Amino acid sequence: MPEQNPSVVTTRDGAVARITLNRPDRLNAITIPMMQRLRAALEEAQDEQIRCVLLAANGRGFCAGQDLTVLARQHDHHAPGDIGKILTDAYNPVIAAIRDLAKPVIGLIQGVAAGAGWAIALACDLRLAGRSARFVPAFAQLGLVPDMGGTDALVEAVGYARAIEFLLLEDAVSAEEARTLGLVNAVVDDAELNAAGDAWARRIAALPPAGVAQTKRLLRASAGHSGAAALRAEAWAQAVAASDPGHRAALDAWRQRRA
Ligand code: T3D
């Protein structure tokens, strides 16, 4: 029997697959089962009939990052350092699946993209933002480091000086500023986001696929992403950061605000 309310939904329209994050009441905050589903959906998109993938989200936000209610519960029962294993086993494979997929993944971002949600958006090959999009670093306030590939991808996109400013000093970057910085490729009205994404995906899907696949592979290689090594380094650093009492205090404060 099909699951009611799956956290990730995939649909197909010809050669375009649309993968949609589907926890809108939590602003699509991420959990381990959700990331396992996202990874499976990306693996299904390896089907050679699919030539372009849209990564979208239901509701008013793209993704609010790690589900902090779940994270607080994990810390109640496990060592904070286990966060590194969660990244390695469940979250980082999603980023590797996007990077390694032999076809472009276009992120469609409306509303907030915070923490790991912002990193997932950044992992996409192209990003189209609705005017409501807001990029919220969120990691430092929680005593954490950027993860899910956010470190190397951000430095690659905007350079070290702007990256560290964004991560340590900024509350949020608007869609327009993200476009100026090169964090997104284009900004459209929210009402146009799906149609604009479909149009890009159909154009890419109509191109001969071997050239598209090799273009992505070459650009990924020449972008200098340290790839798997950077993901491993983030997982280790996140375990260190999460073991600091300052992280626990920030998480408790978030839980109290929501109680
Ligand atoms: O395991 C690991 O690897 C850990 C890795 C962690 C990496 C990270 O992702 S760290 C960053 C985690 N995310 C955040 O710190 C963001 C927390 N959320 C917020 O700061 C705000 O909610 C937003 C700025 C994202 C949006 O604000 P706003 O005013 O538009 O919406 P809201 O009212 O705050 O949120 C709407 C609902 O979503 C609300 O639930 P309610 O009150 O309607 O029942 C809120 O609790 C829920 N929500 C938002 N973010 C999260 C969340 N629930 C769980 N986890 C969240 N991250």
Side-chain angles (χ1 to χ4, degrees), residues 27-64:
L27 296 178
N28 300 305
I30 69 177
T31 62
I32 294 175
M34 184 189 188
M35 289 300 99
Q36 288 168 336
R37 277 170 197 284
L38 180 54
R39 180 186 183 181
L42 289 160
E43 282 170 0
E44 278 170 29
Q46 287 170 2
D47 178 345
E48 62 183 25
Q49 302 297 316
I50 298 295
R51 294 189 174 183
C52 189
V53 175
L54 292 165
L55 179 57
N58 278 335
R60 69 177 173 89
F62 178 73
C63 174

Side-chain angles (χ1 to χ4, degrees), residues 23-30 32 60 63-71 74-75 82-84 86-87 91 112-118 134 136-142 144-148 238 247 254 257-258:
R23 297 186 75 218
D25 54 329
R26 285 283 162 268
L27 296 178
N28 300 305
I30 69 177
I32 294 175
R60 69 177 173 89
C63 174
Q66 168 63 36
D67 187 313
L68 295 179
T69 311
V70 172
L71 185 63
Q74 267 161 21
H75 283 350
D82 288 358
I83 207 168
I86 292 171
L87 280 168
Y91 291 4
V112 75
W118 156 82
R134 264 188 309 151
V136 179
F139 298 102
Q141 283 77 6
L142 274 178
L144 295 175
V145 303
D147 57 15
M148 295 188 79
Q238 198 67 291
H247 166 60
W254 191 86
R257 280 200 299 278
R258 292 304 193 249

Side-chain angles (χ1 to χ4, degrees), residues 229-254:
L231 291 172
R232 277 196 300 276
E234 287 174 351
W236 179 84
Q238 198 67 291
V240 172
S243 303
D244 186 295
H247 166 60
R248 185 59 206 240
L251 203 50
D252 286 344
W254 191 86

